[in-house]
Amino acid sequence: MKPNKRVSAFLLAVAVATTAVAYSPKLSADTTAKQPSAVDKNPKPPQRSVQVVLVDPGDANLSASFQIAIYESLLDELNKTKKFKHVLRDGERSAGEIPDLLTLKTKVEKYTAGSETQRAVTTVSGATKLTVKSQLCTRDGQIVFERTVHGKVLFIGSNLRATHDLARNVAKSIKQSPVPE
């Protein structure tokens, strides 16, 4: 090797060693700082799990596709809240093994079918509206949360967009409520 290449290789090795030494205390300090202390100032309460029951159409003339769309959107939106340890589907076998399981029941109270065509043409009529009663219940049937929630699509979008709006509003109200641990 030429002298210039030797000096460059030596300087590179020194730079790597210096960087490793300089950052090693910082890395070990970071890992110890992230470990939980014996006395935590704000301990998080243990998260509960929730099982979402199939949507009850009630007296509303609601198509099966709307029921399924509400159900699937609820599963999606509840997962996004990060409030629950597990979000389970109706009928999952593992639900029987979870001691702190809550059950989300949703019953359609009112449904107004809209028209995408009317919304596109007039923008003042043709709204799709849904009103549901949502309840979170414990295993023994005690209601810990109950709200009437609305979902709608007023201007642009498909009729099924109302189901997404409804599920987002249900998840938002559950996230903001103080569900007992």
Side-chain angles (χ1 to χ4, degrees):
M1 263 171 66
K2 293 184 179 178
N4 285 342
K5 287 187 178 179
R6 281 189 207 151
V7 171
S8 296
F10 177 73
L11 289 175
L12 179 64
V14 169
V16 169
T18 304
T19 304
V21 169
Y23 283 108
S24 64
K26 200 175 206 180
L27 290 175
S28 64
D30 286 346
T31 56
T32 57
K34 290 181 183 177
Q35 292 175 355
S37 62
V39 179
D40 203 359
K41 293 179 183 175
N42 277 334
K44 281 189 173 181
Q47 286 185 315
R48 296 184 83 162
S49 296
V50 66
Q51 184 175 29
V52 181
V53 176
L54 292 174
V55 176
D56 179 3
D59 295 333
N61 186 18
L62 194 65
S63 68
S65 63
F66 260 69
Q67 291 176 40
I68 298 300
I70 293 169
Y71 178 73
E72 292 296 328
S73 294
L74 281 170
L75 290 167
D76 250 3
E77 293 297 322
L78 287 172
N79 269 319
K80 289 179 187 177
T81 66
K82 304 286 188 213
K83 185 167 179 105
F84 299 103
K85 189 175 186 177
H86 302 295
V87 178
L88 304 170
R89 293 178 172 273
D90 196 9
E92 276 196 44
R93 292 183 184 149
S94 62
E97 302 166 3
I98 300 173
D100 59 347
L101 184 70
L102 294 173
T103 304
L104 177 66
K105 297 177 182 178
T106 308
K107 183 177 181 180
V108 178
E109 293 184 330
K110 188 177 177 184
Y111 168 66
T112 305
S115 168
E116 293 178 48
T117 307
Q118 281 184 335
R119 280 195 305 273
V121 173
T122 65
T123 68
V124 292
S125 64
T128 302
K129 298 178 183 178
L130 282 163
T131 302
V132 300
K133 180 178 276 185
S134 291
Q135 295 178 330
L136 275 177
C137 305
T138 60
R139 282 192 186 276
D140 59 355
Q142 179 185 3
I143 297 171
V144 295
F145 168 86
E146 184 173 37
R147 292 271 163 42
T148 299
V149 184
H150 307 280
K152 60 188 174 260
V153 58
L154 297 176
F155 301 114
I156 299 171
S158 72
N159 288 335
L160 288 178
R161 177 119 175 99
T163 63
H164 175 71
D165 185 52
L166 175 75
R168 189 176 59 236
N169 291 340
V170 169
K172 182 179 175 183
S173 64
I174 290 173
K175 185 176 182 178
Q176 293 173 347
S177 74
V179 176
E181 303 302 328

